[in-house]
Amino acid sequence: MTTDSPRFIARLHLESLDDTAALGARIAAALVRGDVVALRGDLGAGKTALVRTILQALGISGPIPSPTFTLVQSYETPRLLVHHFDLYRIEDESELDELGFDDSLSEGAALIEWPDRAGSRLPDEALHLTLTLLSGEARLATLEGPVRWATIIPKDF
Ligand SMILES: Nc1ncnc2c1ncn2[C@@H]1O[C@H](COP(=O)(O)OP(=O)(O)OP(=O)(O)O)[C@@H](O)[C@H]1O
Ligand SMILES: [Mg+2]
């Protein structure tokens, strides 16, 4: 753990799905190979919806199904390979080997719903993003991660 290096911390008020899409576009523009975005929040908080906006901003125009049952969906976007994981159904960390989890993290970027199921395999340098349901389309997004994200996602966003 690099506890002494500066961290990026932000709380963003997302009024609507459009605001979520704006956040998704910012993340997409900065995403590079090896990046991990750990997405937390209750069922229906909007994790998959945010992933869709990220993938659309990266140029995916076809369907973006939730990987609820497949556990992972991979997208060859024009700029980089992106793996979208939903680990909700993982019961044991060893199941990640069958998914090729560790290799996936090095060969592209990974957007991971229910990341705590990955235990210690989640890299220290992940961007942690938690969505909290407010009312209607409003969501609170709490972000924590490497300081490089501070210039990508302004606090007055
Ligand atoms: N501001 C918003 N941001 C994200 N989603 C929103 C917003 N407003 C409304 N929604 C809607 O909320 C729903 C969120 O569902 P979604 O499948 O993304 O949740 P999830 O967090 O991935 O849940 P699960 O844990 O079951 O995978 C979608 O229908 C989406 O359109
Ligand atoms: Mg989901």
Side-chain angles (χ1 to χ4, degrees):
M1 224 6 221
T2 50
T3 46
D4 48 356
S5 55
R7 306 291 286 171
F8 161 62
I9 296 170
R11 280 159 64 87
L12 307 175
H13 203 89
L14 307 174
E15 289 297 337
S16 65
L17 200 48
D18 284 349
D19 282 356
T20 298
L23 174 61
R26 292 232 174 216
I27 293 171
L31 209 59
V32 291
R33 180 176 165 166
D35 276 345
V36 170
V37 184
L39 296 158
R40 295 185 179 81
D42 291 342
L43 294 169
K47 303 178 292 296
T48 300
L50 175 61
V51 167
R52 288 193 176 109
T53 69
I54 294 171
L55 287 166
Q56 283 160 354
L58 283 166
I60 299 297
S61 54
I64 300 172
S66 174
T68 312
F69 296 101
T70 55
L71 305 182
V72 61
Q73 299 279 346
S74 300
Y75 299 86
E76 194 71 74
T77 81
R79 201 165 61 70
L80 86 161
L81 178 63
V82 180
H83 300 289
H84 175 199
F85 287 95
D86 183 337
L87 302 182
Y88 188 73
R89 284 163 191 276
I90 292 269
E91 283 172 7
D92 189 283
E93 227 182 286
S94 65
E95 290 173 55
L96 296 170
D97 294 332
E98 292 160 39
L99 285 177
F101 186 77
D102 297 339
D103 288 343
S104 299
L105 298 198
S106 52
E107 70 189 14
L111 311 172
I112 309 175
E113 299 183 46
W114 300 97
D116 296 323
R117 304 283 202 272
S120 58
R121 292 176 186 228
L122 213 61
D124 287 343
E125 289 310 284
L127 174 66
H128 299 273
L129 196 163
T130 302
L131 288 173
T132 307
L133 269 158
L134 299 177
S135 64
E137 288 196 10
R139 305 286 188 273
L140 177 69
T142 311
L143 297 99
E144 194 276 331
V147 75
R148 91 170 228 259
W149 290 98
T151 50
I152 299 160
I153 304 166
K155 291 199 181 206
D156 59 354
F157 164 90

